[in-house]
Amino acid sequence: MGEVRELIAAGKAVLGIELGSTRIKAVLIDEAHRPIASGSHEWENRLENGVWTYSLTDVWEGLKDCYGDLRREVMEKYDIELTELGAIGISAMMHGYMAFDAQGELLAPFRTWRNTLAGKAAAELTELFQFNIPERWSISHLYHSVLNQEEHVARISYLTTLAGYIHWKLTGKKVLGVGDASGMFPIDSESMTYRQDLVEKFDDHVKGYGYPWKLTEILPQVLAAGEDAGALTQEGAKLLDPSGNLQAGAPMCPPEGDAGTGMTATNSVAKRTGNVSAGTSIFVMAVLERSLSRLHREIDMVTTPDGSPVAMVHANNCTSDLNAWVGLFREFAQAAGMELDTNRLFGILYNKALEGDPDCGGLLSYGYYSGEFITGMEEGRPLFVRKPDDHFNLANFMRSHLFTALGAIKIGMDILAEEKVELDSLLGHGGLFKTKGVGQRMMAAAMNTPVSVMETAGEGGPWGVALLAAYRKNRGDGENLPEYLNQRVFADAKGSSMDPDAADVAGFEEFMKRYKAGLAVERAAVDSLR
């Protein structure tokens, strides 16, 4: 405790902050990369005028509250005011659309990754580039605005992601980590910048609209992990800590997306490694040895924080509907006079799923809070359906919701299997894995491969971006990111690996047959329930 206090007093602790879909979390780490304090703030996106969004007030109030929570914990645990930091990293959910004019004013409501508005734009760009461009990517949202002839497009001076926006306000630097940038526009892993041939194709394609900008003039500068991304300014320090205690000057790593921080937090940045992040959304990242044989609309090509090519399978929906059902059971418990804390409640219900029939007893659900590209749903309709003679009980009910959280991602992973993509390891992190052994077992069944969860997996993205900030501060000459993580962070890491159970694998395959057949029911719900 005394050593940690001295570390904080000396300004050597490193801060990572990640803005996820439902929570903003800050993690403070020591020189051994161990978390020593944390803070959080709960928030939710809103559907306004058909757009999933957060306001800028949401962003800054949430950041201040999260940092304030961290600051209070530091004072309570170590009896010291947090005034100086060794380094800072900012991460946030990838993709989306944040367009600003020359005065720094937001031109249109922030469109998050969750929006499924830009399907036509994404399809046209994919055809133009012969490179898969998902509709949640920033370039899809930009081109969608072009096609709709939205007035603000001509006035765009800067286009960035949420992490890039916050970093800009904290440092004055319009930069972005290569991993996050790869969710805006395709990246050339050799030159570590946007693919110039595709930039030229885009500029030529929209030339007739007469906009005063070229694409690279409005996109952030791309930086790889470890590069100088500026330092916290006095104005930035006040944005994080209105009390005025936090001092300016801390070096900042390139801002990254949640995919890149997930890879970092699970030591999955080297070739033949993979990780699965399962929370509000779910994505699997596979670091490739070679390019895929052909274009697949279901597979995103992005990069690690140090620029290596990655095949990313992404599904918009994972645990939101599952969490809503757990919330319903919480209401019942409270009505019955029982007070159960969140971890206990999730533990009871998740473990109950292990008692269910391998195929969920015939039950079927879709946790589609929002649209799902992989299955062709432009909007979400959470749905539970069963036949009268199905085996309906709590165990199968919970198992069906855990299985369906992995349904869309399974479809994409089957494509990688056909492409002969091989992984030496698949590491899980995120909320699905918090109840020990349950999400891990379900994931192993879905992927039919061993799944590991490290003791640090619960730290997730905030810890991952803190590691990137530490790498920016501490890396030696020529020390690459995989070397730093292997030798300095994960050399003594502990965790557990779970092999797939044959009965679970067979049961999941049966469930997936039902899942695919039942998509017509989900389609009808989207079309009919307005």
Side-chain angles (χ1 to χ4, degrees), residues 391-434:
H391 192 190
F392 183 48
N393 58 26
L394 180 59
N396 282 332
F397 181 80
M398 290 307 302
R399 191 177 180 91
S400 74
H401 285 288
L402 284 162
F403 270 20
T404 201
L406 309 177
I409 205 77
K410 170 66 171 173
I411 294 172
M413 288 302 294
D414 285 346
I415 294 171
L416 290 187
E418 292 169 5
E419 281 273 2
K420 309 298 184 189
V421 171
E422 296 181 352
L423 298 176
D424 294 329
S425 61
L426 182 63
L427 293 106
H429 63 106
L432 188 70
F433 300 102
K434 284 185 177 180

Side-chain angles (χ1 to χ4, degrees), residues 319-351:
T319 61
S320 291
D321 194 44
L322 183 56
N323 293 344
W325 282 109
V326 173
L328 190 70
F329 286 112
R330 176 187 286 112
E331 285 189 43
F332 169 77
Q334 290 171 341
M338 295 179 288
E339 286 297 331
L340 298 173
D341 68 41
T342 299
N343 290 335
R344 173 73 172 142
L345 184 62
F346 272 90
I348 291 171
L349 293 170
Y350 273 40
N351 278 289

Side-chain angles (χ1 to χ4, degrees), residues 359-416:
D359 70 341
C360 309
L363 309 187
L364 179 62
S365 63
Y366 296 95
Y368 288 8
Y369 258 54
S370 62
E372 193 58 77
F373 170 76
I374 288 179
T375 54
M377 304 297 168
E378 67 279 0
E379 294 181 23
R381 299 292 185 272
L383 183 69
F384 174 74
V385 63
R386 63 187 176 98
K387 302 190 299 296
D389 59 348
D390 287 337
H391 192 190
F392 183 48
N393 58 26
L394 180 59
N396 282 332
F397 181 80
M398 290 307 302
R399 191 177 180 91
S400 74
H401 285 288
L402 284 162
F403 270 20
T404 201
L406 309 177
I409 205 77
K410 170 66 171 173
I411 294 172
M413 288 302 294
D414 285 346
I415 294 171
L416 290 187

